[in-house]
């Protein structure tokens, strides 16, 4: 496995290995790799002749310094996991300088309003940070196909918008959410949950599934009120938002239309740990 810390080394590694008619797949990550990341990388390995995985905890996408400081970092373990998956992976694990130079700041993006919904409302500047780093990573890696997990569905939609607006020649693929046996969507943040919080967390997906069941017969308002009530009664989990939105515009819906696809989106705190999830409704 090739490990590069500098973009010049990465470029050299890619150029040296790339042959005609071969495709380069890419999975950007912030490390603390789990089975969710591995499912993206496995898909990439199946579909491409070469794979790049980046590991970089991007400071500009955190609106909260404590969250950034506490974000799990486990480079050694991550490299072992990747090595066991395939020796053909090229890892790019830079320090902030390599991506940002000496100005660790975000560009400002217009994602046609997608950035103002849900996560964008509750995490100021988050998607400017994500857009900045992903755009730079695309410039550095120059992949043919990039893979994003649908757990961060809004991020996936925003990356689709980023490549469209900036005419970046990358195909973006969304990969289904990877869940533990009890339904909890895998996330690097799950590592920080206490035993009791971890035991409580599957309640999030359970509630999403119940909301999906109600979606056929009940109004969006009624379902939203019901979900809010479930969390108000919960000792360990605090609801930040629950919303049913159009899958394309990500705008909250009040009235359903048969021709559109909807998803329910949720953000929940377990102590100071923030968990998000979503589910397709129709
Ligand atoms: O989803 C993530 O882990 C991050 O937002 C990403 C896409 C790697 C950008 O830092």
């Amino acid at each position: 496995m090739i490990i590069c810390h500098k973009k010049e080394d990465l470029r050299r590694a890619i150029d040296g290995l790339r042959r005609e008619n071969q495709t380069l797949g890419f999975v950007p990550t912030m490390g603390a790799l789990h089975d969710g990341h591995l499912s993206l990388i496995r898909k990439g390995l199946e579909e491409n002749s070469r794979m790049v995985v980046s590991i970089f905890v991007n400071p500009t996408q955190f609106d909260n310094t404590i969250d950034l400081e506490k974000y799990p970092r486990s480079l050694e373990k991550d490299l072992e996991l990747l090595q066991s998956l395939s020796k053909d992976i090229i890892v790019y694990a830079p320090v902030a300088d390599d991506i940002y130079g000496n100005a660790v700041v975000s560009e400002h993006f217009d994602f046609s309003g997608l950035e103002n919904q849900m996560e964008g409302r509750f995490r100021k500047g988050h998607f400017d940070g994500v857009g900045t780093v992903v755009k730079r990573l695309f410039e550095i890696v120059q992949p043919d196909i990039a893979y994003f997990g649908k757990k961060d569905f809004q991020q996936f939609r925003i990356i689709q918008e980023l490549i469209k607006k900036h005419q970046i020649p990358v195909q973006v693929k969304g990969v289904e959410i990877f869940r533990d046996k009890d339904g909890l969507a895998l996330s690097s943040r799950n590592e920080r949950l206490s035993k009791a919080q971890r035991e409580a967390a599957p309640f999030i997906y359970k509630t999403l599934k119940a909301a999906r069941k109600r979606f056929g017969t009940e109004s969006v308002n009624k379902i939203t009120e019901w979900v809010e009530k479930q969390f108000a009664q919960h000792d360990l989990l605090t609801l930040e938002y629950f919303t049913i939105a159009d899958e394309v515009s990500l705008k909250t819906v009040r009235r359903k239309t048969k021709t559109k696809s909807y998803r329910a989106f949720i953000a929940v705190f377990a102590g100071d740990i923030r968990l998000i999830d979503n589910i397709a409704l129709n």
Side-chain angles (χ1 to χ4, degrees):
M1 192 167 74
I2 304 173
I3 302 164
C4 306
H5 298 288
K6 298 224 174 289
K7 52 179 179 282
E8 294 76 21
D9 297 337
L10 176 76
R11 284 300 338 149
R12 226 172 287 130
I14 295 170
D15 293 341
L17 291 167
R18 218 161 174 182
R19 305 268 179 280
E20 240 177 87
N21 298 327
Q22 288 194 341
T23 59
L24 182 66
F26 176 44
V27 176
T29 81
M30 298 208 295
L33 301 181
H34 49 65
D35 283 335
H37 295 113
L38 299 191
S39 73
L40 302 183
I41 300 167
R42 278 201 191 94
K43 194 166 169 53
L45 284 166
E46 273 166 34
E47 295 184 352
N48 300 275
S49 24
R50 303 296 310 182
M51 269 308 285
V52 173
V53 176
S54 65
I55 298 178
F56 176 61
V57 180
N58 173 37
T60 63
Q61 71 188 75
F62 287 81
D63 60 329
N64 175 330
T65 39
I66 297 171
D67 193 24
L68 172 60
E69 273 163 27
K70 290 200 173 164
Y71 199 84
R73 290 160 173 88
S74 51
L75 186 60
E76 288 297 304
K77 204 173 135 216
D78 291 346
L79 295 177
E80 273 170 35
L81 262 176
L82 293 174
Q83 174 83 25
S84 67
L85 205 62
S86 162
K87 300 200 175 20
D88 289 337
I89 294 170
I90 304 171
V91 180
Y92 175 48
V95 292
D97 258 19
D98 207 50
I99 293 195
Y100 286 101
N102 48 21
V104 186
V105 286
S106 299
E107 280 175 57
H108 179 65
F109 291 93
D110 169 0
F111 293 121
S112 310
L114 294 177
E115 72 280 23
N116 301 326
Q117 311 299 328
M118 304 179 291
E119 292 299 284
R121 256 191 307 133
F122 288 91
R123 300 180 71 189
K124 288 281 163 243
H126 172 65
F127 288 119
D128 279 340
V130 171
T132 304
V133 79
V134 172
K135 187 162 163 265
R136 292 196 189 173
L137 287 168
F138 281 170
E139 284 158 8
I140 294 169
V141 179
Q142 296 170 28
D144 299 292
I145 310 178
Y147 299 84
F148 290 84
K150 288 193 184 171
K151 183 177 79 68
D152 298 296
F153 191 86
Q154 187 174 10
Q155 168 173 282
F156 163 62
R157 284 284 303 111
I158 277 181
I159 302 302
Q160 287 182 319
E161 195 64 22
L162 173 81
I163 58 156
K164 192 167 126 199
K165 282 224 155 127
H166 294 263
Q167 297 178 352
I168 304 172
V170 177
Q171 189 189 344
V172 169
K173 286 197 179 179
V175 180
E176 286 315 315
I177 301 175
F178 198 98
R179 299 183 182 280
D180 248 332
K181 277 195 209 73
D182 57 13
L184 179 64
L186 292 202
S187 160
S188 303
R189 288 187 173 86
N190 295 355
E191 277 184 31
R192 293 186 50 224
L193 297 169
S194 69
K195 191 164 177 284
Q197 288 168 334
R198 176 63 191 80
E199 276 167 18
F203 184 75
I204 301 169
Y205 184 50
K206 205 173 141 216
T207 310
L208 284 181
K209 280 197 297 185
R212 181 178 60 192
K213 211 163 172 198
R214 288 168 180 259
F215 189 72
T217 52
E218 287 180 22
S219 73
V220 169
N221 271 349
K222 203 157 167 226
I223 300 169
T224 308
E225 274 168 26
W226 178 80
V227 170
E228 285 169 356
K229 196 159 154 227
Q230 302 314 299
F231 281 92
Q233 291 164 353
H234 203 289
D235 289 342
L236 292 176
L237 304 173
T238 310
L239 183 67
E240 185 173 49
Y241 67 77
F242 169 84
T243 184
I244 292 180
D246 179 318
E247 202 173 76
V248 178
S249 71
L250 301 184
K251 286 194 179 128
T252 297
V253 289
R254 291 285 156 228
R255 278 230 184 131
K256 313 174 221 172
T257 315
K258 282 220 168 68
T259 51
K260 293 196 167 169
S261 297
Y262 299 108
R263 260 175 202 264
F265 295 87
I266 195 164
V268 170
F269 277 100
D272 66 345
I273 305 155
R274 192 169 179 279
L275 303 171
I276 61 170
D277 201 348
N278 68 83
I279 194 168
L281 294 174
N282 60 339

